[in-house]
Amino acid sequence: MEIRWNTKLYCLIGQPINKSLSPIIHNNIFKTLNQNSIYLAFNIEEDEIKSTIDGFKAMGVGGFNVTIPYKKSIIKYLDDISKEASIIGAVNTVKNHNGKLIGYNTDSGGFLQTFYDNNIDIKNKNILIIGAGGAAYAIASSLAMEGVNSINIANRTLENSILLERNINKINNEIMTKVVNLSLNNLNKKKMDIIINTTSLGMYPLENMAPLELNGFSSNTVVYDIIYKPCETRLIRDAKAREFKTFNGMSMLLNQAILSQNIWGNLDKKINIEIFKKIEGILPNYIE
Ligand code: ATR
């Protein structure tokens, strides 16, 4: 694509951003759509958020993504946020709507999309979430909004599990919740339908680690590891060896980006799956 005077700018802000795949994903989407737009990433300091987004407004940037560690702190600088972003307490996508900056969260939708695309109905499912950090919050919130039967939380730090459990109960008090210990000896493993790893165990440089052992789980268990580097973590390998259904973090990463493009109005939802398949084939080339 040729950059011209009227090329529309989209951005990413965060720190660090040097490993981000978002520029690859979004610029490939623009290329596929033959759209006169470009996506650039900016590594900014916390005290530069306001001046950065004032600049975005002044320059008429179409929209931007926000990544770690600013998904919460960005909120106070925005003109409004969606109900979903407000429930999750984090924004990863901002649309410039005629000079007003509106915040959204597509991490949660991006996570759920994997289940929709694979015809897995998560209502009535029993979920085990490993970890209780930022990613676990977005995922647990989306599961709570969607409605599942139970959410069981296992995390290294007990206090963080308890805070996450409270957050789930606040969103949907009909979901059964339980804090379990990392050894999982107080969990009915056979009843679990879906295991989700939200920790960094298994991610480069901890590739040799797995957040849990899979013995004792039913053969129908679905294992979703949100790590995408490497594409196949030790947990995913263990799950495949047991012939469990598995998903890696690539689908969540790609779906959240596609949903951002839907919000910015660049991509018609009808071709989301087509775009997903196209970019999914390109991405592994960029994962070092
Ligand atoms: P993110 O925003 O990616 O979720 P985070 O908020 O730092 O990152 O959360 C990381 C999660 O991985 C936390 O649940 C963390 O456990 P603690 O609450 O005890 O900190 C978990 N985690 C990170 N390193 C871990 C390790 N070596 N062993 C077990 N859990 C780990």
Side-chain angles (χ1 to χ4, degrees):
M1 195 220 36
E2 216 174 5
I3 296 174
R4 282 169 269 163
W5 69 270
N6 58 352
T7 299
K8 192 128 191 124
L9 177 61
Y10 292 85
C11 303
L12 168 71
I13 57 170
Q15 190 182 70
I17 44 92
N18 60 330
K19 299 269 181 216
S20 174
L21 291 173
S22 292
I24 300 293
I25 296 174
H26 289 285
N27 286 314
N28 269 292
I29 293 176
F30 292 140
K31 197 166 137 194
T32 307
L33 297 173
N34 201 17
Q35 188 166 320
N36 183 17
S37 299
I38 187 170
Y39 185 101
L40 299 175
F42 297 99
N43 194 76
I44 63 159
E45 300 293 332
E46 171 107 48
D47 62 2
E48 292 167 335
I49 297 178
K50 186 173 181 325
S51 53
T52 301
I53 69 169
D54 282 346
F56 285 170
K57 260 191 191 184
M59 296 188 299
V61 162
F64 58 96
N65 287 127
V66 184
T67 190
I68 290 166
Y70 305 134
K71 291 186 187 188
K72 280 183 192 299
S73 51
I74 189 76
I75 294 176
K76 56 180 172 294
Y77 302 110
L78 302 176
D79 296 299
D80 203 357
I81 62 169
S82 70
K83 189 170 165 232
E84 199 182 22
S86 148
I87 291 171
I88 299 166
V91 160
N92 78 320
T93 302
V94 179
K95 179 181 165 97
N96 184 353
H97 195 83
N98 301 324
K100 293 245 179 293
L101 297 182
I102 317 292
Y104 299 84
N105 189 304
T106 67
D107 288 328
S108 72
F111 169 74
L112 293 176
Q113 193 65 41
T114 307
F115 296 108
Y116 304 147
D117 291 345
N118 289 278
N119 296 317
I120 298 172
D121 183 4
I122 60 163
K123 302 226 168 44
N124 304 319
K125 293 283 193 286
N126 297 308
I127 318 278
L128 170 62
I129 297 184
I130 315 287
Y137 263 75
I139 285 170
S141 305
S142 60
L143 293 170
M145 284 186 269
E146 187 79 357
V148 291
N149 189 53
S150 74
I151 301 179
N152 302 269
I153 307 155
N155 187 51
R156 180 178 57 181
T157 310
L158 182 68
E159 296 79 52
N160 292 342
S161 299
I162 294 168
L163 289 173
L164 180 57
E165 183 184 35
R166 269 193 215 139
N167 188 61
I168 296 166
N169 296 149
K170 220 165 60 189
I171 296 171
N172 185 343
N173 61 14
E174 287 180 2
I175 294 176
M176 282 187 280
T177 54
K178 187 175 178 182
V179 169
V180 298
N181 53 42
L182 266 184
S183 65
L184 306 179
N185 59 7
N186 55 346
L187 175 75
N188 188 342
K189 290 185 185 176
K190 280 266 175 279
K191 280 204 159 169
M192 292 303 111
D193 300 296
I194 302 171
I195 300 170
I196 304 158
N197 174 44
T198 71
T199 73
S200 45
L201 297 177
M203 182 163 68
Y204 174 83
L206 303 175
E207 296 110 311
N208 294 327
M209 299 182 82
L212 77 161
E213 296 300 329
L214 294 173
N215 50 308
F217 288 94
S218 130
S219 57
N220 297 321
T221 312
V222 174
V223 173
Y224 195 148
D225 194 337
I226 69 160
I227 294 171
Y228 57 83
K229 187 185 171 180
C231 295
E232 196 170 272
T233 56
R234 211 192 101 191
L235 175 65
I236 295 280
R237 273 202 309 279
D238 292 351
K240 281 185 175 167
R242 289 170 188 269
E243 296 183 349
F244 292 2
K245 194 165 182 55
T246 61
F247 298 110
N248 67 21
M250 193 97 88
S251 56
M252 182 175 173
L253 175 77
L254 195 42
N255 277 319
Q256 62 77 27
I258 287 173
L259 293 173
S260 293
Q261 290 284 357
N262 293 147
I263 286 170
W264 294 329
N266 298 328
L267 182 63
D268 186 333
K269 279 190 175 159
K270 281 188 221 134
I271 59 164
N272 279 7
I273 292 189
E274 202 181 305
I275 297 287
F276 182 97
K277 290 200 174 125
K278 183 151 183 140
I279 314 288
E280 188 189 30
I282 297 168
L283 272 185
N285 302 329
Y286 294 93
I287 299 178
E288 302 145 25

